[in-house]
Each structure stands twice: as C-alpha cells, then as structure tokens.
Amino acid sequence: MSFLKQLFDFYIKSSLHVGLAVLSLVYVTAFSDDLYKDIVYPSCVFFGTVLGYNFLKYFYVFWSGNFNSKKHYWILTVSILAAIGFVFFFLWLKRSVQINIIISGIAVLVYPLLRKYGWVKLFLVSIVVTYVSVYIPFQTVKWLPFDFYVSLTQRFFILTSLLIPFEILDSKTDLETMNTLPQFFGINRTKIFGIALVIPFMVLEFFKSNSSYIVIVIAIITVLFIRFTTLKRNQYYTSFWVESIPILWWVLLMVFQ
C-alpha cells in the first residue's frame, strides 16, 4: 500500500495528472466542436504541460542541483522525457501552430514574474489554458464559426471557476502581499465569484450549434467542489479531484456523444 501511495504521489507531483487534464480539455474541444481528433497536437500539449509545470515548480531545485530526495531525480527524468516528447510532436505541427505554442510558452515563462500579483496570475493561467485548448485547435478551421467564440468564452469561465479551490487552499501559505482573490474578498465571496462564472458557462452552451447537456453535469460538479472547499482540505482535493474534472468531461463526451 505504501508503494502505491508513493506511486500515486509521484503521478501527482510530476505533473502527469495536470498534463492529462489539459490534454482532456483539448479533446473536449475536438469532440464538442467536431474538430480533428488526431494525436499529434494533443500529445504535444500533454508533454508541453508536464514540462512547463515541472519547470515552474522545480526550476530552482533543478538549477541548484539541490536534490533532497530520489523523488526529484525521478521528476527530472520525467521532465527530460517530456521535453523529448514535446520536441518530437512539435516538429510534426504546422508552422502556424508552432508559433502559437511558442506564444503560450512565453506566457508560461512570464508566470513567475506575475505570481506576486495573485489575482493576475489566476486569470493568466485561465487565459493560457484556454488559448492552448480552444484557440489553437480552431486554427485548423479556415473560417472561424460562431461556436469558436462561444467555446473560447466558456472555457475561460469554467477554468477560472476550477481554479478557485486552488486559490482558497493556497491562501494558507500565500504571502499577504500577493493580493489573491481570497485575500481581497474573503473565502466566501471568492466562492460566490467562482460559482457565478459557472452560470454563463452553462447558458452559452445553448448558443452553440451542437450543444450538449454534459456541460450541465460539469457545471454542477464544479459548483459542488467550490462549495465544499475549505482550508482543512488536503492537497489531493485540488491536485487530483478538481484536476480530474476535465478528464471526466472528456470521458463523458466519448461515452455519450
């Protein structure tokens, strides 16, 4: 059992789970908007997400070589493999898509500079993931349909909502000078803000040409997770369960659509 827990913890801390979550969001766009469903771009996103998140989380550890556990060596190994996978699939993409990926990568590099502005980095994450999971996939379409703008707005709303539990739990360790939403408005008002964003996420679905009731299920689950977020929750509440919502969304689309 101890080995399984260590394996599970490694899966979370090496960013493999968040990589799968972002990959799922790309396929949600593909299924919801009848776009291509090949593996090249989604694979590039998966490896790029793992690499990007590990870079942000462990940069100083890797740079200083101050590895205080075998875990860091394994995470470095995963990061190197992710870099190889990213480059491999990146080279298969069209030049226009490559440029867009580079733009999103620059935004990731800017993230540490904006981290002290808590409310800004929240929206930056939402914008970058929306850009990667909606904007870039739609660039394969010659004429952008109305559904593109709906999906783009929807994705930003739901991603911001999904980040609210992270913001609340992080407030236990965030510096008071970071000016995060919970520090600005308090936990309850931050929850209300996150839940309020779910409403336009649902409403906008009915303006799409191929609307799906599955967004209602995702909206309800998101609201419940925000509602029951407390400072007493452990790291798995956000780093596994909340991040599993995009994966569930993709699975539901594959099964019922």
Side-chain angles (χ1 to χ4, degrees):
M1 186 63 69
S2 176
F3 171 75
L4 292 177
K5 185 180 184 303
Q6 290 178 358
L7 189 63
F8 179 71
D9 285 341
F10 176 75
Y11 167 71
I12 298 296
K13 292 178 180 178
S14 62
S15 303
L16 292 173
H17 189 61
V18 69
L20 183 58
V22 179
L23 166 73
S24 298
L25 288 172
V26 174
Y27 275 118
V28 165
T29 301
F31 275 88
S32 299
D33 298 287
D34 293 326
L35 300 179
Y36 68 97
K37 302 181 180 67
D38 66 28
I39 66 168
V40 178
Y41 178 70
S43 298
C44 186
V45 169
F46 171 76
F47 288 118
T49 301
V50 173
L51 178 62
Y53 267 77
N54 284 346
F55 173 81
L56 293 175
K57 289 193 295 185
Y58 304 108
F59 173 77
Y60 291 109
V61 175
F62 295 159
W63 182 260
S64 64
N66 186 25
F67 294 8
N68 54 23
S69 68
K70 290 183 178 180
K71 174 193 72 175
H72 288 137
Y73 287 102
W74 282 109
I75 290 176
L76 177 60
T77 301
V78 168
S79 301
I80 293 173
L81 292 175
I84 295 171
F86 171 76
V87 171
F88 175 80
F89 287 104
F90 179 84
L91 294 176
W92 280 85
L93 297 170
K94 293 181 179 179
R95 180 63 61 85
S96 59
V97 177
Q98 291 176 339
I99 292 173
N100 280 308
I101 290 177
I102 291 172
I103 291 172
S104 64
I106 293 172
V108 171
L109 294 176
V110 170
Y111 177 86
L113 302 176
L114 298 177
R115 183 168 173 74
K116 60 181 179 181
Y117 305 105
W119 63 274
V120 175
K121 58 100 172 172
L122 165 68
F123 296 118
L124 176 64
V125 173
S126 298
I127 291 171
V128 171
V129 178
T130 299
Y131 188 85
V132 168
S133 64
V134 178
Y135 181 85
I136 298 179
F138 263 101
Q139 299 315 298
T140 59
V141 181
K142 187 173 183 180
W143 302 106
L144 291 177
F146 179 70
D147 283 0
F148 163 71
Y149 301 99
V150 175
S151 295
L152 200 68
T153 308
Q154 272 187 305
R155 191 64 53 84
F156 175 76
F157 284 149
I158 193 64
L159 284 170
T160 304
S161 294
L162 288 171
L163 288 170
I164 293 301
F166 290 89
E167 290 291 294
I168 294 174
L169 265 66
D170 287 348
S171 65
K172 293 187 295 185
T173 55
D174 285 339
L175 297 175
E176 294 183 3
T177 56
M178 287 186 65
N179 297 320
T180 61
L181 289 184
Q183 291 171 346
F184 261 128
F185 304 112
I187 291 177
N188 288 334
R189 289 183 179 178
T190 300
K191 285 184 178 183
I192 292 172
F193 171 72
I195 292 172
L197 292 179
V198 175
I199 297 173
F201 165 72
M202 287 191 297
V203 172
L204 285 169
E205 181 67 16
F206 298 101
F207 288 90
K208 297 177 69 173
S209 58
N210 53 343
S211 57
S212 172
Y213 68 89
I214 292 174
V215 299
I216 298 176
V217 177
I218 298 303
I220 292 172
I221 293 173
T222 301
V223 168
L224 290 174
F225 269 101
I226 294 173
R227 169 64 181 82
F228 291 106
T229 299
T230 67
L231 296 178
K232 295 182 180 179
R233 297 291 183 184
N234 60 37
Q235 61 173 335
Y236 301 118
Y237 187 80
T238 50
S239 61
F240 179 74
W241 293 111
V242 174
E243 288 181 359
S244 294
I245 294 176
I247 301 172
L248 174 64
W249 192 357
W250 178 29
V251 170
L252 290 175
L253 284 171
M254 287 193 294
V255 173
F256 296 106
Q257 185 164 316

